[in-house]
Amino acid sequence: MANTAQLLRRQSSRDIVLKSQKSIDQLELRELRGRLVSKEHGVSHHHHTSLHHHHQPMYGATNQGFMSDAFDESSELEQEPPFGSDASTSKIKVELATAVDQQEQQDIVEGEKEGDERESWDSKIMFLLATIGYAVGLGNVWRFPYLAQKNGGGAFLVPYFIMLCIQGIPIFYLELAIGQRLRKGAIGVWSQVSPYLGGIGISSAVVSFIVALYYNTIIAWCLIYLLHSFESPLPWADCPTRLYRNYTYDHEPECVASSPTQFYWYRTTLQCSEGVDMPENFNYHMAIALIVSWFLVYICMVQGITSSGKIVYMTAIFPYVVLIIFFFRGITLKGAADGVAHLFTPRWDTLLDPVVWLEAGTQIFFSLGLAFGGLIAFSSYNPANNNCYRDAILVSLTNCGTSMFAGVVVFSVIGFKATATFDRCTEDRAALVAQNRTHNLPICDLEQELANSASGTGLAFIIFTEAINQFPGAQLWAVLFFLMLFTLGIDSQFGTLEGVVTSLVDMKLFPNLPKEWIVGALCLSCCLISMCFANGAGSYIFQLMDSFAGNFPLLIIALFECLSISYIYGVRRFSDDIEMMTGSRPGFYWMFCWKYLSPCAMVTILLASFYQLLTEGSSYPAWIAAKGATENMEWPHWCIVIAFILILSSILWIPLVAILRLCGIKVVEDSDPAWFPEAELKEVHGIVPHEPTELERSIFCFNMDGTEGMCCPKYGLPEKSLEEEEE
């Protein structure tokens, strides 16, 4: 996720023309300012010509989605005197003077400020890179490879792509389209769909805030490892030594019992205690890393306008460069083929296990970053005629392709590590046999070594670092690897925080504060709260929040998003909007997914997840220093209470806002719909009223009068077609 709305967009032209009307929202003011510009800028007066002949989306100051319809009357345009003539020059001067006068009056009435303008993307490539950066995150590198080899290898790709088609792409497409159509953040969008649905946007903002809170901890860990990657030898390459009372040195027993990479991760970096109930010492190194990471996030979000190009190319493209470098390095290593084969060799019997399908659907959902509100915020800055369908397909497939490519890279390196371990075991076994020691011989199993991979932090900071230790020039490879993780993480962090910031701006909670101050206050508050991760139990608190706060709430929010579009906004109306924006109507498959298939898939995943939680329980791996290993421990009761508080604090906004609205209390203030060039788009694309087919009428309850049934098909007397009614 690159800082997208704030980081990668530039502010539009300050030259303005205002159309006189009683109420004008902030977006409309932004739109009208791009209409008339001073003569020295050399902008042609042929607005109608550019509208009818330039169908491609325009970005920046020339964004068609932000153009005024102040002069949409064709008669006025045809009678306008030639540009450059005295009459034309006088007319423009009068109109500019009137516009400035109207702006001053409107500023007095509405309290409009320049800082409240909604910005636009600088270019199409910036939007695509930012959205890809948002979707492609750490889960693609350290979660997908583990799930694939654990759940059937190549067979896992079957449920993975099925879930992508019935759940991932449809919801991704839905969020991009509704944001582009209603041109607001998550709270503004769902409040406009229905005043009773504003809680969906608030829930997305709350979840984004909680996830951003603990997600930045990963960035802090990457910074610590990145800093120490410049040391020679690497600090996690060998066990440290301990000085005893008799002035003799020996290796740290805890490290010998585990491994250098495990010891450095659990004891040096995290300073882990033996349970979540024992926070022990304050971790000053972790606290400093958290402060630095939040400062970097703040600097990039605030200063992103002046350096947007450099930042987006760095954060979105650099991870791919590093993955390609590691790919060519990995495939040349001994054992790489065994690792890749282990990853993709299909075990078809696993398809009968419902847990495999559950984990495939969960991975698709969270990998694409759905329900955070970030995608809605990003697309709201696109031109009104942007092809959101093509964007959804492109970004979704890029995300899944990245996961598979990262899996090849990771398991080529893990194959090398496993082969090296297997070879050492074989040599030790042969040496023992040569000494006629046939009892307690070590068991050497290459497949078992390959299966001993881990996911998440274990894969990145233990397994992969141990493999890098065996590379020639290990420092260089460590720097590249952790710099890649840092850019992947900070990309996603920008997009997550953008959903929070956009929601705060849309709600006008702080109307007199500029956006930069809101970002600063948000980062400062998150930095202070994140100090709870800077102690011996900090990693356990991280696991608690990751297991509950960023899991169930997102599924519930996405479910309500899908139901709101399908049964309140209306699939037919939504399809009409997409046809108006892109020129082509969504196919039957997408409408069927939005109304039936995707909600059913999410309900199934939710119920299966709750069942699995109730039957199997939830635990966390605690580091036991005496054993030099981790043991699964049950969460104490107070952690379960915190988990429920985290979940309820996110999803309770959905019913709460609706109930308070029924009681006459407005949590989200009503706002005017954002300006949208509906008439112009219909004329450009030649849109005519869509007459539903018999299949659409029976499956989606479409009526010939333009209405739409709520759910189940109703069979009765055939209705007249549009042509018959006209006759």
Side-chain angles (χ1 to χ4, degrees), residues 163 166-167 354-355 357-359 361-362 552 555-556 559 596-612:
M163 288 297 178
I166 68 175
Q167 178 182 276
V355 175
W357 292 82
L358 172 63
E359 293 193 339
T362 305
F552 299 108
L555 276 169
I556 295 172
L559 175 62
Y596 301 115
L597 205 53
S598 297
C600 289
M602 286 183 282
V603 169
T604 302
I605 291 176
L606 269 174
L607 294 178
S609 300
F610 280 123
Y611 176 78
Q612 188 179 36

Side-chain angles (χ1 to χ4, degrees), residues 499-576:
V500 182
V501 173
T502 305
S503 298
L504 291 175
V505 172
D506 284 350
M507 289 186 70
K508 299 182 176 65
L509 294 179
F510 310 100
N512 297 322
L513 286 180
K515 191 173 183 179
E516 292 78 9
W517 285 54
I518 296 177
V519 172
L522 180 65
C523 291
L524 179 60
S525 62
C526 287
C527 182
L528 294 176
I529 299 174
S530 65
M531 289 299 110
C532 68
F533 302 113
N535 59 73
S539 62
Y540 306 139
I541 299 174
F542 170 87
Q543 294 175 44
L544 177 69
M545 298 181 70
D546 187 41
S547 300
F548 296 99
N551 193 332
F552 299 108
L554 290 175
L555 276 169
I556 295 172
I557 292 170
L559 175 62
F560 275 94
E561 286 183 354
C562 207
L563 295 176
S564 299
I565 290 297
S566 300
Y567 300 103
I568 297 177
Y569 192 83
V571 171
R572 179 172 183 171
R573 179 183 175 188
F574 189 53
S575 300
D576 291 340

Side-chain angles (χ1 to χ4, degrees), residues 177 213 235 337 362 381 411 448 657 710:
L213 189 65
T362 305
Y381 299 99
F411 267 86
Q448 184 61 38
V657 169
M710 287 296 293

Side-chain angles (χ1 to χ4, degrees), residues 310-343:
K310 296 178 182 178
I311 292 177
V312 67
Y313 283 108
M314 175 65 181
T315 57
I317 297 180
F318 181 76
Y320 287 97
V321 174
V322 176
L323 279 177
I324 292 173
I325 293 174
F326 267 98
F327 170 75
F328 285 107
R329 180 69 182 99
I331 60 176
T332 60
L333 296 172
K334 180 182 179 182
D338 294 326
V340 176
H342 178 78
L343 173 63

